[in-house]
Amino acid sequence: MKKYINIENKLIPILFQLILLFIWQIAVDKWEVPQYILPSPKDIINTLINIVPNITTHIYATLYEALIGFVISILIALFLAILMDNVKLIKKCIYSILVVSQTVPIYASKGLATSMEKYY
C-alpha cells in the first residue's frame, strides 16, 4: 500500500504537467498566437535542439563559473564558522548580520543588490 502511494505521489505531478503542456500546445495552435508572444512547447523544444550545438561552450563556461562561486562560498563559510567558533568577539559582531541576511527574501535581496549597483 505504501509503495502505491509513493508511485501515486510521483505520477500525479508528472501527468498534471504533461496535461498542462498539452493544453498550452492546443491553445497556441487553436488561437494562432504569434510565436514572439507565446511560443508553443513544440517550438521551444525545436529551438532548443537547434541552438544547443551553438551554446555548449557558453553552458560549460557558466557551469564552471557557478561551480567556482559555490566552492568559494563554501570556503568563506567554513572560514567564518571556524573564526566565529574560536573568537567570541567576532561571533558577537558577525552573528546578527548573518541572521538578518538569512531572513531577507531572495527577491528582496536581488532588488537591494540591483539598487546598490547605481551607487558603486
Side-chain angles (χ1 to χ4, degrees):
M1 185 70 172
K2 188 174 183 178
K3 187 170 185 160
Y4 172 73
I5 293 172
N6 193 17
I7 292 172
E8 183 179 294
N9 287 341
K10 293 177 182 176
L11 191 61
I12 289 175
I14 292 171
L15 285 175
F16 181 72
Q17 291 175 15
L18 289 174
I19 290 169
L20 282 178
L21 285 173
F22 181 72
I23 292 171
W24 177 8
Q25 181 69 45
I26 296 298
V28 168
D29 289 343
K30 181 181 182 205
W31 290 306
E32 298 176 356
V33 179
Q35 187 177 7
Y36 63 89
I37 293 179
L38 180 65
S40 69
K42 183 180 74 173
D43 292 335
I44 293 171
I45 291 171
N46 288 338
T47 303
L48 183 64
I49 290 170
N50 292 334
I51 200 171
V52 164
N54 298 331
I55 63 170
T56 51
T57 57
H58 302 291
I59 291 171
Y60 291 137
T62 302
L63 288 174
Y64 175 75
E65 290 173 358
L67 184 64
I68 293 297
F70 186 63
V71 169
I72 290 171
S73 68
I74 288 174
L75 292 175
I76 291 172
L78 282 172
F79 176 73
L80 275 176
I82 293 169
L83 195 64
M84 287 173 60
D85 191 46
N86 292 324
V87 182
K88 298 301 177 196
L89 179 64
I90 292 179
K91 181 178 182 179
K92 288 179 183 178
C93 294
I94 297 177
Y95 188 71
S96 61
I97 296 171
L98 293 175
V99 170
V100 168
S101 73
Q102 294 303 306
T103 59
V104 175
I106 293 173
Y107 297 114
S109 63
K110 175 62 177 161
L112 288 173
T114 305
S115 64
M116 293 301 284
E117 288 175 357
K118 297 178 201 174
Y119 302 108
Y120 295 104

